[in-house]
């Protein structure tokens, strides 16, 4: 098998927001909010955003970043 055609089968992996019903903030145990634009999960109660990498939420407390304010356009519709 040649590697020339291998690139045809690569697809982008996206986050499935249905899993939000099963996961919570690792620090507060509160629900998380998904932002499709930034590919992050927000814990609004403490102002921390967790990245989503290749469709997989990185919920290690050390992976989170503190956000100054929550952008209203990130709110679920």
């Amino acid at each position: 098998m040649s590697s020339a055609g291998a690139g045809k089968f690569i697809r982008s992996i996206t986050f499935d927001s249905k899993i939000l019903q099963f996961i919570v903030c690792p620090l507060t145990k509160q629900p998380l909010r998904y932002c499709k634009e930034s590919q992050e999960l927000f814990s609004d109660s403490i102002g921390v955003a967790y990245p989503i990498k290749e469709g997989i939420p990185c919920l290690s407390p050390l992976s989170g970043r503190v956000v100054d304010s929550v952008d209203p356009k990130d709110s679920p519709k």
Side-chain angles (χ1 to χ4, degrees):
M1 178 175 202
S2 100
S3 63
K8 293 180 183 179
F9 298 106
I10 296 175
R11 63 179 187 183
S12 68
I13 300 170
T14 58
F15 175 72
D16 184 356
S17 61
K18 292 182 228 170
I19 69 166
L20 285 174
Q21 61 185 323
F22 303 109
I23 60 175
V24 295
C25 173
L27 299 172
T28 66
K29 310 302 185 237
Q30 298 296 312
L32 295 166
R33 181 175 48 84
Y34 172 52
C35 176
K36 188 175 184 176
E37 289 178 12
S38 66
Q39 287 297 297
E40 292 178 307
L41 295 175
F42 288 91
S43 176
D44 292 323
S45 61
I46 59 172
V48 172
Y50 298 96
I52 299 172
K53 297 179 182 177
E54 297 182 13
I56 301 170
C58 300
L59 296 176
S60 163
L62 295 176
S63 296
R65 68 176 180 88
V66 176
V67 291
D68 293 330
S69 64
V70 177
D71 190 341
K73 73 178 179 182
D74 293 336
S75 297
K77 294 177 172 58

